[in-house]
Amino acid sequence: MSDNKIGMGHGAGGEVMSNLIAETILNNITKKSVNNGISLDALDDGATIPIGDYEIVITTDGHTINPLFFPGGDIGKISAAGTINDVSVMGAKPLAITNAMIIREGFPIEDLEKIIKSMDETCREVDVAIVTGDTKVMEYDKIDEIVIVTTGIGIAKKGEVIKDSSLNIGDKIIVTGTLGDHGMSLMSFREGIDFETDLQSDVAPVWNMIQEAVEMKAITAMKDPTRGGFANAINEMAQKSGVGVLLDQEKIPIKEEVHAASEMLGIDPFEVANEGKVVMGVKSDLADEVLEIIKKSEYGSDAAIIGEVIEGNHVLIETPVGGQRILESPIADPVPRVC
Ligand code: MG
């Protein structure tokens, strides 16, 4: 791919995409925030607009997943959960989403109905409304099946929004479940690899799982590790916060099937997307309590404290034999079109 054209890597959630965003997009936009809220420049999971005693949290996401229906979900579920989760990890109660769909001529109405029902079911789980939308159709050879763009809107009390850049030294790092499920299951499904146990996407709305911890004011920073995976999310949090992180490899939950798939496909489970997980920094004196709360929730049974925030500027992983290695951000998500 020549240097002056878009390549697949430009949409893959790694360094290549970050450079495109910084140089071509952010540089050419002049007004990036309202009322001193969190701006586009923060590149957080969402932005905020402070109004009175509250902050409106807003985020948007386009979905181009292939295939549309996959083990554990479909494009409707992921389109709803994607923006609901980005609002949720800002510490805001998700209220509503919008739904813009660009559909290919000839697309089965039956499939569209399945997608909408799935979207609705996902929203109902966390009491989110679908309040507005748009429907466009393109010629058969101009678009691949369907593209869905959703915008998520939530609300938080002023000053209580949780950023991804506010880890403090001594905080514990919690992940709310096993890593790599979405990207690895999608890739296995596409490649036609069969496992004895069903490997499924983890796509789900996370608000019910984290709400209580948010209200306890125990969380210092958080992100959903989607494109670019856990490696991207934890590095972004550490870099933006100006701290290091030390992780214990043995404590990081990964399913057996994900390990197996990752070896077979040569893909690092830390670098692929999760769609129903949260990575958070938690005040150390509240970490055990937060872990217990998350473990009791529907999607949090595999949650674990996996490390802590330290001085420094690297994310380090302690290996079972006692060595340490640096966990780098991926150049790009190794699996394209995962969300
Ligand atoms: Mg996010």
Side-chain angles (χ1 to χ4, degrees):
M1 187 58 58
S2 78
D3 283 349
N4 56 1
K5 293 204 172 136
I6 294 289
M8 288 304 287
H10 285 120
E15 259 181 60
V16 179
M17 189 178 89
S18 304
N19 293 340
L20 177 78
I21 290 172
E23 287 158 24
T24 309
I25 301 178
L26 297 185
N27 272 349
N28 291 302
I29 296 174
T30 39
K31 184 171 162 90
K32 299 178 215 179
S33 80
V34 179
N35 292 349
N36 290 317
I38 294 176
S39 80
L40 178 60
D41 277 328
L43 296 179
D44 208 322
D45 297 280
T48 71
I49 302 177
I51 297 174
D53 296 334
Y54 292 91
E55 294 190 50
I56 304 293
V57 174
I58 183 159
T59 186
T60 194
D61 214 335
H63 299 87
T64 62
I65 193 161
N66 170 41
L68 300 180
F69 299 90
F70 51 86
D74 55 55
I75 192 171
K77 187 170 186 183
I78 209 167
S79 298
T83 41
I84 288 170
N85 291 348
D86 274 334
V87 165
S88 302
V89 296
M90 298 295 290
K93 178 182 166 43
L95 298 175
I97 64 167
T98 71
N99 173 26
M101 297 181 293
I102 305 165
I103 311 165
R104 183 173 73 183
E105 172 188 26
F107 191 81
I109 289 181
E110 193 187 334
D111 284 353
L112 183 61
E113 194 176 346
K114 267 192 227 161
I115 289 165
I116 299 294
K117 281 183 172 166
S118 172
M119 214 174 207
D120 183 63
E121 196 183 321
T122 308
C123 287
R124 261 190 289 146
E125 234 186 279
V126 283
D127 196 26
V128 160
I130 302 172
V131 288
T132 185
D134 183 38
T135 310
K136 296 271 160 60
V137 177
M138 283 178 80
E139 295 89 342
Y140 188 82
D141 54 352
K142 297 287 191 316
I143 186 172
D144 189 9
E145 297 189 292
I146 185 169
V147 173
I148 299 182
V149 180
T150 56
T151 295
I153 299 128
I155 194 158
K157 288 208 184 102
K158 200 175 212 163
E160 293 185 9
V161 164
I162 301 171
K163 295 190 273 194
D164 59 6
S165 56
S166 39
L167 288 174
N168 295 312
I169 289 161
D171 289 346
K172 299 292 181 194
I173 301 292
I174 291 179
V175 289
T176 61
T178 52
L179 295 178
D181 299 9
H182 177 74
M184 218 53 94
S185 71
L186 205 70
M187 197 59 191
S188 305
F189 185 64
R190 279 193 210 156
E191 297 287 306
I193 299 170
D194 251 339
F195 293 97
E196 283 172 22
T197 33
D198 286 338
L199 184 50
Q200 290 211 329
S201 167
D202 59 349
V203 57
V206 299
W207 176 246
N208 293 341
M209 174 167 71
I210 61 173
Q211 181 179 9
E212 210 177 322
V214 167
E215 286 164 358
M216 278 169 68
K217 299 192 173 57
I219 303 166
T220 55
M222 99 176 124
K223 270 197 112 48
D224 55 339
T226 51
R227 257 181 323 177
F230 171 71
N232 197 64
I234 192 72
N235 270 293
E236 203 178 324
M237 290 169 81
Q239 265 165 28
K240 286 180 173 176
S241 311
V243 296
V245 169
L246 180 61
L247 302 167
D248 183 344
Q249 186 173 315
E250 288 189 301
K251 297 212 169 109
I252 303 176
I254 295 182
K255 286 196 171 103
E256 277 303 316
E257 308 93 283
V258 167
H259 268 306
S262 107
E263 271 172 31
M264 206 174 292
L265 298 164
I267 292 172
D268 185 343
F270 287 162
E271 295 188 356
V272 300
N274 307 269
E275 292 292 338
K277 300 288 155 51
V278 179
V279 182
M280 54 175 78
V282 178
K283 291 173 185 165
S284 66
D285 56 327
L286 296 170
D288 289 329
E289 197 180 335
V290 166
L291 182 66
E292 282 320 302
I293 291 166
I294 290 170
K295 273 173 152 315
K296 275 184 222 149
S297 67
E298 187 179 353
Y299 304 119
S301 56
D302 295 320
I305 297 173
I306 59 168
E308 63 182 347
V309 180
I310 58 170
E311 277 181 52
N313 44 25
H314 289 294
V315 175
L316 300 168
I317 299 195
E318 215 158 56
T319 60
V321 288
Q324 277 185 1
R325 66 178 177 97
I326 294 175
L327 179 69
E328 307 256 22
S329 274
I331 304 297
D333 192 307
V335 190
R337 293 191 56 190
V338 287
C339 56

